[in-house]
Amino acid sequence: MSLINTGYLEPEELRELQKLPSEERYQKGPVAVIECVQEIPCNPCEAACRFGAIRIGDPITNLPQCSHEKCTGCGVCVSKCPGLAIFVVNKAYSETTATVSFPYEYMPVPEQDMAVTAVNRKGEPVCEAKVVKVLNPAAFDHTPVVTVEIPKEYADDVRSIRRLQEAD
Amino acid sequence: MLERDVVVVGAGPAGLAASIEAAKAGADVLLVDLNMKPGGQLFKQIHKFFGSSAHRSGTRGFEIGKMLLAEAEEAGVEIWLQSTVIGAFPGNLIAIEKGTDGGNKEVITMRAKKLIIATGASENVVRFKGWTTPGVMGAGAAQTMINVNHVKPGKKIVMVGSGNVGLIVSYQLMQAGCDVVALVEAAPKIGGYAVHAAKIRRAGVPIYTQHTVVEAVPGEDGTVCKVVIAKVDDHFQPIPGTEQEIEADTVTIGAGLKPATDMVKLEKCQLTFNGPFGGFIPLHNDRMETSRAGVYVAGDATGVEEANTALEEGRIAGISAVESLGLIGESEAEKKRIEIWGRLEALRMGPFGERRQIEKNNILAEYEEKIGTAVEME
Amino acid sequence: MGEFFSDDMIVCRCEEVTVAEIKEAIRQGARDVVGVKRRVRAGMGLCQGRTCEKMVQQILAQELGVKPWETGTSSARPPIRPIAFGDLAKGSVE
């Protein structure tokens, strides 16, 4: 697995290791993409999902399994995953654009409508992006979930944004 | 002479959990810690913890620390801060250098009917040219600076080590506003959880596996201004000609931890060497009792693991101590211990945990073979 | 390898003991951590070997061709942490 050598997953590996949403499901709207591929003792995502879409069971080292049919793409699990390994991808956002929602625990937190640089799993810039939503309620416990709009073809690659610099 | 049913040394997760269990059973518990605040490393942990819902997973470490402190207070645990156990003598006597509100210290010798040692671990260093240059520090020290004292150790950081400490502290250094310009790891693989590595990769941190720091170069002011890294061969030796220079003002070393054994040595507890657990550790049984009757251990001092396992071991130590004081019955204590060992087993599963489970079993077996029954100190 | 690890490198920073001094202690017959400590004071300072013990073990293991655990660990006797003489003298048994 390239992840343990390099720190990032190649999309093909991800598809092998985790059951990713089908293209058909992606076309129906937002859906959770769980990039958790190591059997570590952890299960808050299971309790986080109100729709019972995420299952870990016993033992807690099981990998989470997501029922993409039950998943509504609400994004609550994104803020609850201690590994920051859950994303919500919406490939049906518009004719030409998709959105990717990801946890973002750096200061300053981006604001809606801000122009940002979207990056891939290696931190490389992929494309320009627009922040369309920032959710940061108390229940998320200081893990804001940021949603950016990007050209559709980058929806499987974009997983964060370049860190914003603190104003001096 | 001052006397307590149970004295617990170290107020981290293991010591707090042990104190809570013992106090809830009705014991007079004194918890001693050399720091200004209790909580051990918990108050440095600003990230959400892994684990099961039974371990309050998804809660940030310092919040877990707050809950434990409230529980300890409610259970009536007496806490002496800025206080250090400096000696132990036959007859269950210990000498404590007690801190006072005025900052003065006084040495008190007292009797502890039962002693629980939860002294944690200290950071390993690695040796390279210039490792004593100002700007080179332990990753844990850097974490204390940013998360407890709110001071940045530097602007551009080179992190050494890709275990969970190296990965998590790299992330937190960036959260504090520093740049992590490189993470170097001598092994061919990343040591810690992949999700932690993925987090810092997304933030643009280059991870150099099979590399090591060979020199921290001081600038005109005597502090680090440049770091030289090089590739290593299969024996982890740097390969000449592969050096590259990185502009950085800080080197943080996350090269693992070593159980703090001064207290168990003082109590003449029998030690064993265990590589995966970080070095010499006290032999103990499934009640967390050492080779010395009435002396218990818990947490990283028994082998470096993590906060959840420390908590659970602390509970076992606390329960066993009050059982031997006769405050709870044997069947109740055994029932609780079985439950906790079950939870510990769940924590020691998977690619990161199973080795620790095997080693733990080896330690328990070695205890049975070499010690069997704990004896009083001579 | 020599170009990366010179013998004038400090190992015990509390007592400022170098690699060369530890190697000399081993030549004089030190076979474990305690032997090195008695001869050149590595691990006898403020931190009581918390920082350097592992490095001393590594040097011993390398020089003697043994495993790190065969080089032992230092003993502990009271007071295990630095304490002012005044405080110690004032101490009481209550």
Side-chain angles (χ1 to χ4, degrees), chain C residues 15-91:
Chain C
E15 295 287 320
E16 298 193 342
V17 183
T18 63
V19 177
E21 288 170 279
I22 291 169
K23 285 185 177 170
E24 177 56 26
I26 297 168
R27 256 194 304 280
Q28 287 174 12
R31 288 294 173 268
D32 53 22
V33 168
V34 176
V36 170
K37 183 172 165 179
R38 289 198 178 130
R39 284 174 178 84
V40 291
R41 297 189 60 83
M44 219 178 252
L46 198 66
C47 88
Q48 290 287 292
R50 243 178 309 157
T51 310
C52 70
E53 185 174 283
K54 237 177 187 156
M55 292 192 283
V56 173
Q57 286 170 336
Q58 281 160 5
I59 296 168
L60 275 158
Q62 192 186 318
E63 294 295 301
L64 300 171
V66 296
K67 299 288 180 200
W69 62 85
E70 294 175 288
T71 65
T73 178
S74 68
S75 41
R77 48 181 70 79
I80 53 170
R81 289 290 159 100
I83 174 173
F85 275 124
D87 294 335
L88 195 59
K90 274 188 298 189

Side-chain angles (χ1 to χ4, degrees), chain B residues 298-356:
Chain B
D300 277 359
T302 72
V304 174
E305 294 191 77
E306 38 88 28
N308 285 327
T309 49
L311 263 168
E312 297 289 19
E313 284 194 347
R315 288 194 178 112
I316 296 176
I319 289 162
S320 303
V322 289
E323 180 199 7
S324 68
L325 286 167
L327 292 170
I328 60 170
E330 195 186 327
S331 60
E332 190 191 345
E334 194 52 26
K335 192 175 147 238
K336 285 185 175 177
R337 273 194 296 264
I338 289 168
E339 266 174 39
I340 300 171
W341 279 107
R343 291 203 295 270
L344 278 167
E345 244 170 65
L347 290 170
R348 292 173 180 142
M349 272 191 201
F352 290 90
E354 54 199 14
R355 180 73 190 270
R356 287 184 277 124

Side-chain angles (χ1 to χ4, degrees), chain B residues 230-296:
Chain B
K231 267 190 97 144
V232 297
D233 61 22
D234 294 342
H235 305 287
F236 302 117
Q237 298 306 320
I239 304 168
T242 62
E243 299 91 336
Q244 53 178 306
E245 290 183 355
I246 296 173
E247 199 192 307
D249 56 14
T250 306
V251 181
T252 51
I253 302 170
L257 303 167
K258 178 179 85 159
T261 50
D262 341 19
M263 261 309 286
V264 290
K265 283 178 184 170
L266 209 52
E267 288 287 345
K268 310 262 188 300
C269 302
Q270 201 170 321
L271 303 180
T272 188
F273 184 90
N274 189 294
F277 274 143
F280 285 96
I281 53 170
L283 276 175
H284 59 82
N285 59 18
D286 62 2
R287 310 152 94 88
M288 301 313 291
E289 191 170 26
T290 64
S291 61
R292 283 256 293 105
V295 177
Y296 302 82

Side-chain angles (χ1 to χ4, degrees), chain B residues 11-13 16 20 38-43 45 49 56 59-72 311:
Chain B
L16 280 168
I20 292 165
Q41 307 305 304
L42 280 173
F43 286 93
Q45 310 309 326
F49 274 20
R56 304 178 180 120
T59 309
R60 296 184 189 276
F62 68 93
E63 299 284 1
I64 292 174
K66 280 189 206 164
M67 292 178 206
L68 285 172
L69 281 187
E71 246 185 282
L311 263 168

Side-chain angles (χ1 to χ4, degrees), chain B residues 23 30 49 51 56 105 109 178 211 213 237 251 271 300 351 373 375:
Chain B
L30 172 63
F49 274 20
R56 304 178 180 120
K105 303 270 185 181
T109 304
C178 308
H211 276 76
V213 168
Q237 298 306 320
V251 181
L271 303 180
D300 277 359
T373 311
V375 294

Side-chain angles (χ1 to χ4, degrees), chain B residues 1 34 86 127 131 265 278, chain C residues 10 54 73-74 81 94:
Chain B
M1 176 184 285
L34 57 81
I86 55 166
R127 188 160 54 90
W131 76 274
K265 283 178 184 170
Chain C
I10 282 181
K54 237 177 187 156
T73 178
S74 68
R81 289 290 159 100
E94 282 174 28

